[in-house]
Amino acid sequence: MSSVIKVDNLSKIYRLGLISRRTIAEDLNKFWSRITGKENPYLKIGETNVRSVKGKSDYIWALKDISFEVKDGERFGIIGKNGAGKSTLLKILSRVASPTEGKIRIKGRVASLLEVGTGFHPELTGRNNIFLNGSILGMTQKEIKSKFDSIVDFSGVERYIDTPVKRYSSGMYVRLAFAVAAHLEPEILIVDEVLAVGDAEFQKKCLGKMHDVSEKEGRTVLFVSHNLQAIKNLCQKTIILNNGELFASGETEEALKRYNQLNREIKITAETHVNNIKNRRGSGAIRFTGIDVLDDTGNKRFEYELGETVRFKISYRTFKEMQGITLIVALLSGLSRECLTLACYDIVKSKVEPGVTGEAVIEFNDINIKPGEYPLYFELIDNKLNSYSKDVVDDITAPLVIKRNDYAEKKSFDPSKPSGFFETPSRLTLNEIFRESDRIRA
Amino acid sequence: MSKNYSDSDWTLEIKPVSGWFNFHIKDVWRYRDLLLMFVKRDFVAVYKQTILGPFWFFIQPILTTITFTIVFGKIAKIPTEGLPPMLFYMSGVVCWNYFSDCLTKTSSTFISNAHIFGKVYFPRLVSPLANITSLLMKFGIQMLLLTCFIFYFIANDADVHPNIYILITPYLILLMAGLGLGFGIIVSSLTTKYRDLTFLVGFGVQLLMYATPVIYPVSALPDEYKSLVKLNPMTSIIETFRFSFLGAGSFDASNLLYTTVFVIFVLSIGIVIFNRVEKTFMDTV
Ligand SMILES: Nc1ncnc2c1ncn2[C@@H]1O[C@H](COP(=O)(O)OP(=O)(O)O)[C@@H](O)[C@H]1O
Ligand SMILES: [Mg+2]
């Protein structure tokens, strides 16, 4: 198999100094003060204008010396924490952004889905938006026409196809948008974390479609996701980005193992702004400043056997007044990432001022969750009734891994019986079934 | 699918931005369907707008014309080359509107499309090209209005003489579109650096109208201003337009040639700058 994408020593630098657009007035002012020999009025205190001193903080290496190859027909995963550079990499591959150094060579037509529904116009009908979005993604009118029925079919919104999309529910909107993208026929399909939206069933359908696109039609798929399960199911090869650098690459199994190692180092700070971390949500009235997963001897670890003790130690800091603080610890399960609450405690019951820091430990003894891998979910909310969440983080640590052992046998029940979320002893007793029709006959 | 690529078959090479002259004009042609879709979108969007919507296209030039007729015709008594003032002003206003719409609309290309540009690649030039094409709809409606007025005045024996030079109108439209596009994409490239530029341009365009024979004929100017106003590339366009539709003034091919050269010049500079900025723009938003 030959390579269809070859990335050589790719680097991308964002210059923070250039980000803020100026006004002409500011520049004229600067110019004027230079002529009159006054101090630059826009220079911040403690900051100098000397280029060499300007230094590190002004530059971000979003990508640093990345090299890899993607083979024809491969399903290729890209994972990494927030800010690792995944989107930047995909943007460069899609020609939305330009690299600073290095080069990329590509064979064949590329279609990228960095977002679903780019360019959808709310006033246009579903039908018109299919054509608009399709052309934005690079399809010709003829192509779209020939695939129109199939697109509508896949989206499942045929009843509303002549209704303006502003009337669509967000689910319908996403379905229609993905349907268009799914019918692109590029040699290479690039998909960023777009499946985070949409319901579980639809996500499954999308993943299935991506699988088909690769398996049946021999296309190459590059796929970024937070959902490790999806990566595991879909991708043959995976690379891990960490702080803009290539941390590991190889078979997905291997790469995921390395990723879990990487995640053992947990570093989040209260200062990290909400907007910088995409999967940190909430109003910001309170922030997690640390999250640790410990065993009963206080060692950090993420793999546990059934029956062991797990402690979640969290610390926080408040930024606004809170009526009280509630902590929720939950596991995310399966492809659809259902949220399974493990514990919900009022950790502080009275009013808290801004600037307070605190710590809480929740301990679970005799853990009996069904063996598997569970991404962790932490949430802090205000005790006030109907409060919005104040800080939510998930995937910030490695997933909790529960391993099978003889726990079940010790509790003397059959471990092969399916028993939902918990590995709790259970026994099935069936009562006789009565049918309505039976009663009529009797 | 059979894809037997050999190692030299790379179809696309992505490299750091370098140089000012790496164009992909061919790409623009490949995306002509997208241009049509953008135009269609603009049509529907206008149509679905407020109650006024397309109605506004009629009202605006009529009100402007009436205002000009009163202020400049009746009060300031600026001559109109013997034409009915209504027609004189309206012809100027219709042309000026198209040019200034093209300029102001395309000058916000990067700002108003930042969202799409950040997510999909297509030759960015498609957006401003779609803008000037969509604006033809408004121009067309206003031309229709103007034509009605011309017929009305002719029916009432006014001294109005449309002539064969009308055939040159498509070329005039092309020049106006080119001029608006050229200036517009230069400004839009600069707005990625200076965010207050858009407002300045809006204001500048308003002032520029007074340096263009919209409310006065060149013939009414003192000689020392004549050559100055003729430096304005819009001058020959509006003068020629009036001459062909209303039969007043004169046709001066050399002035039109000057405008043509000017338009080509501005467009070339615009495309070079735009082409450069479109590659680095996403880093700055
Ligand atoms: N336009 C930009 N200007 C400045 N910094 C940026 C820009 N886009 C991304 N970055 C920075 O580059 C880094 C990588 O971002 P990104 O590729 O979005 O990460 P990921 O998708 O892996 O979460 C982050 O530190 C981010 O803040
Ligand atoms: Mg991202």
Side-chain angles (χ1 to χ4, degrees), chain A residues 371-383:
Chain A
E373 247 184 66
Y374 301 94
L376 290 164
Y377 172 101
F378 299 90
E379 180 172 354
L380 285 168
I381 54 177
D382 201 313
N383 281 2

Side-chain angles (χ1 to χ4, degrees), chain B residues 107-263:
Chain B
S107 65
S108 62
T109 299
F110 283 113
I111 308 303
S112 50
N113 291 300
H115 181 68
I116 298 184
F117 286 3
K119 298 296 180 189
V120 203
Y121 170 80
F122 55 85
R124 306 317 189 197
L125 207 50
V126 170
S127 286
L129 283 173
N131 285 339
I132 59 172
T133 314
S134 316
L135 286 168
L136 281 177
M137 168 177 58
K138 180 175 166 189
F139 179 70
I141 291 178
Q142 300 191 345
M143 278 298 291
L144 206 69
L145 186 72
L146 179 66
T147 316
C148 294
F149 271 79
I150 290 176
F151 277 122
Y152 172 80
F153 275 94
I154 289 177
N156 285 296
D157 287 331
D159 194 12
V160 178
H161 309 284
N163 51 59
I164 190 72
Y165 283 99
I166 280 184
L167 294 181
I168 213 171
T169 310
Y171 184 64
L172 297 181
I173 296 174
L174 205 66
L175 286 179
M176 285 191 284
L179 199 62
L181 177 71
F183 279 126
I185 57 181
I186 291 174
V187 174
S188 75
S189 306
L190 297 180
T191 50
T192 60
K193 200 168 172 214
Y194 294 113
R195 62 191 132 86
D196 53 353
L197 204 60
T198 337
F199 305 108
L200 272 182
V201 164
F203 182 58
V205 169
Q206 273 182 348
L207 284 187
L208 194 64
M209 191 189 79
Y210 294 99
T212 313
V214 174
I215 51 165
Y216 53 82
V218 177
S219 60
L221 286 174
D223 282 343
E224 65 263 37
Y225 289 135
K226 262 185 193 150
S227 50
L228 204 63
V229 166
K230 278 182 181 167
L231 280 181
N232 179 347
M234 276 302 285
T235 300
S236 71
I237 298 176
I238 291 187
E239 289 275 295
T240 310
F241 184 83
R242 273 206 192 109
F243 175 72
S244 59
F245 276 86
L246 308 176
S250 61
F251 174 72
D252 188 339
S254 64
N255 282 345
L256 211 53
L257 186 68
Y258 162 75
T259 299
T260 307
V261 173
F262 194 101
V263 168

Side-chain angles (χ1 to χ4, degrees), chain A residues 14-16 19 60-62 80-89 91 192-193 276 278, chain B residues 282-285:
Chain A
Y14 283 117
R15 287 191 197 84
L16 286 181
I19 287 177
I60 289 182
W61 287 83
K81 284 186 267 188
N82 280 298
K86 305 178 298 288
S87 297
T88 305
L89 177 61
K91 276 185 184 163
D192 203 348
E193 266 167 295
N276 292 350
K278 212 186 266 163
Chain B
M282 280 324 298
D283 296 357
T284 59
V285 287

Side-chain angles (χ1 to χ4, degrees), chain A residues 12 21-22 27 104 106 108, chain B residues 11 14 191-194 283:
Chain A
K12 174 79 186 174
R21 285 192 292 130
R22 293 183 292 266
D27 262 16
I104 300 176
I106 294 176
Chain B
T11 51
I14 301 171
T191 50
T192 60
K193 200 168 172 214
Y194 294 113
D283 296 357

